[in-house]
Amino acid sequence: MIVETKLTSNAQLRHGVEIQVPIYMKQEKTKKAIYLVIDNGHPTALKNFIDFYDALDRDIKNKISYMLIDA
């Protein structure tokens, strides 16, 4: 399992779960990942990410789960 971490202030927040994590999973030959989102005070970015994640295919969400930390 891999863990990728991003702050909500990171402009690549969506890109991380959409592009980066699948690449890392393939490189590490793992079937599961956790996308650790640290909310550092960007509510719009967080809402946009959650909306995007919720719309992902169920298969992707079964492989990549996200966890939220309120910082």
Side-chain angles (χ1 to χ4, degrees):
M1 178 178 289
I2 63 164
V3 177
E4 173 68 7
T5 304
K6 288 272 193 277
L7 298 171
T8 53
S9 60
N10 189 318
Q12 299 292 316
L13 185 62
R14 180 176 154 175
H15 180 265
V17 77
E18 186 175 30
I19 305 296
Q20 289 176 295
V21 172
I23 290 171
Y24 299 157
M25 290 172 70
K26 185 175 180 179
Q27 289 173 339
E28 297 297 323
K29 297 178 177 83
T30 185
K31 299 197 186 297
K32 296 279 187 178
I34 295 173
Y35 195 61
L36 186 62
V37 177
I38 301 173
D39 180 14
N40 61 338
H42 294 81
T44 302
L46 178 59
K47 181 188 179 323
N48 290 340
F49 171 77
I50 292 171
D51 290 346
F52 167 76
Y53 183 86
D54 288 345
L56 288 174
D57 183 78
R58 177 180 287 157
D59 185 50
I60 295 170
K61 291 190 279 191
N62 285 336
K63 293 176 184 175
I64 305 170
S65 59
Y66 83 90
M67 300 177 94
L68 179 63
I69 295 177
D70 183 1

